[in-house]
Amino acid sequence: MPACPRDTLYALARDLHAAFAGTSPVVTSPQGRFAEGAALVSGRRVLGVTSRGKHLFLELEGDAWVHVHLGLIGTFTVDHGAWTAEAPVVGQVRMRLATDQHVADLRGPTVCAVVTPEEVAAVLGRLGPDPLRPDSDPEVAWRRISRSGRSIGELLMDQSVLAGVGNVYRSEVLFRQRLSPATEGRRFRRASWSLVWDDLVRLLPLGVATGRIVTVEDQVLEVEAALGRGEVPHLEERTSSVYKRDGQPCPRCGARIRTRVVAGRNLFWCGGCQRRR
Ligand SMILES: [Zn+2]
């Protein structure tokens, strides 16, 4: 399980935005590796914090941006309360943002750099559409999928196809839609792609709202109902249908759940109801 699945990255951007937009935080690098960048942006007003896929961007006045990618082990925590820049440093903090209201500590990212607007545009240009963003166009992803000889299980993990859907969602959504992860992109049906995209558009906001990956239909309905009533749903332990359930019987058809490394991560699917057609 990644330390920060991409839907919680979206929630993190929202929290950072709420804490720092409009303020001029002191930016430091207690660990030292971002000392130069921190000195460049410290004291500048934060215009906004956004995420796209697994990338996080802080926009600061004067056309400066901080680009952060957490990778698999990075964390970015926002502490609320009467903190100051002198709050104790725990662990290897690459970047700290501090106002008299909030302190946010970034640890273990794969990227933390001050970049230009052109560099931000270049990163965004390489990313496929993000199902969490209402302005995203699934056709952009479909064009790449439908021309590819790679499997859909692999393509769903490719950031240039789809921005940051992640390993749990790829296994669970293909299961939910009864699709074989082994189907080549160019043999994948347009209708199947619509099912996958629409399901991601449905599921990802539930992850943002609850801080958990919700993919089992009973829980999906429960969370949707609670959100519809304006409540924050309380969930029992996160469950999955196929993710990390290899060797167990499929909850739908009873066949054995399988696993294989695809695109560097373990993919899980049912050998019965997700057979290639
Ligand atoms: Zn099955």
Side-chain angles (χ1 to χ4, degrees), residues 175 242 249-257 270-274:
F175 171 79
V242 291
C250 168
R252 190 161 54 207
C253 76
R256 195 165 62 85
I257 293 168
C270 170
C273 57
Q274 286 180 267

Side-chain angles (χ1 to χ4, degrees), residues 7-217:
D7 54 341
T8 61
L9 192 68
Y10 184 90
L12 171 65
R14 185 190 57 194
D15 290 352
L16 285 166
H17 184 89
F20 295 103
T23 73
S24 302
V26 174
V27 183
T28 54
S29 180
Q31 170 211 49
R33 286 183 58 188
F34 182 63
E36 226 170 281
L40 271 176
V41 296
S42 186
R44 294 201 198 200
R45 200 157 63 88
V46 176
L47 303 179
V49 184
T50 54
S51 73
R52 180 73 73 86
K54 295 173 179 170
H55 301 261
L56 195 72
F57 298 98
L58 280 77
E59 183 182 5
L60 300 133
E61 67 181 335
D63 269 352
W65 296 68
V66 177
H67 173 209
V68 171
H69 191 299
L70 292 178
L72 287 179
I73 59 158
T75 61
F76 205 164
T77 53
V78 190
D79 294 315
H80 303 270
W83 292 89
T84 69
E86 278 74 49
V89 172
V90 179
Q92 295 284 314
V93 176
R94 181 81 59 90
M95 175 173 70
R96 165 172 283 188
L97 305 173
T99 65
D100 52 8
Q101 301 286 319
H102 300 284
V103 168
D105 283 341
L106 172 68
R107 297 180 180 85
T110 52
V111 177
C112 174
V114 177
V115 294
T116 63
E118 292 73 26
E119 288 168 315
V120 173
V123 172
L124 296 181
R126 288 196 298 269
L127 290 176
D130 181 340
L132 267 176
R133 298 174 65 93
D135 58 348
S136 285
D137 182 1
E139 287 301 319
V140 175
W142 173 244
R143 280 198 288 276
R144 289 174 179 161
I145 291 168
S146 59
R147 287 173 192 161
S148 177
R150 291 184 291 154
S151 70
I152 189 68
E154 190 177 347
L155 288 164
L156 290 181
M157 292 291 276
D158 183 337
Q159 299 289 296
S160 70
V161 171
L162 206 56
V165 159
N167 197 34
V168 185
Y169 284 112
R170 93 166 149 170
S171 293
E172 291 287 305
V173 166
L174 289 172
F175 171 79
R176 285 169 58 86
Q177 302 305 328
R178 299 172 187 254
L179 297 166
S180 166
T183 304
E184 285 178 14
R186 60 188 170 213
R187 299 186 195 286
F188 204 61
R189 294 182 180 172
R190 179 67 181 82
S192 300
W193 170 241
S194 294
L195 292 173
V196 168
W197 176 266
D198 290 348
D199 211 21
L200 290 168
V201 168
R202 180 184 178 197
L203 296 179
L204 291 173
L206 307 182
V208 173
T210 61
R212 285 166 185 266
I213 294 178
V214 186
T215 59
V216 177
E217 189 62 13

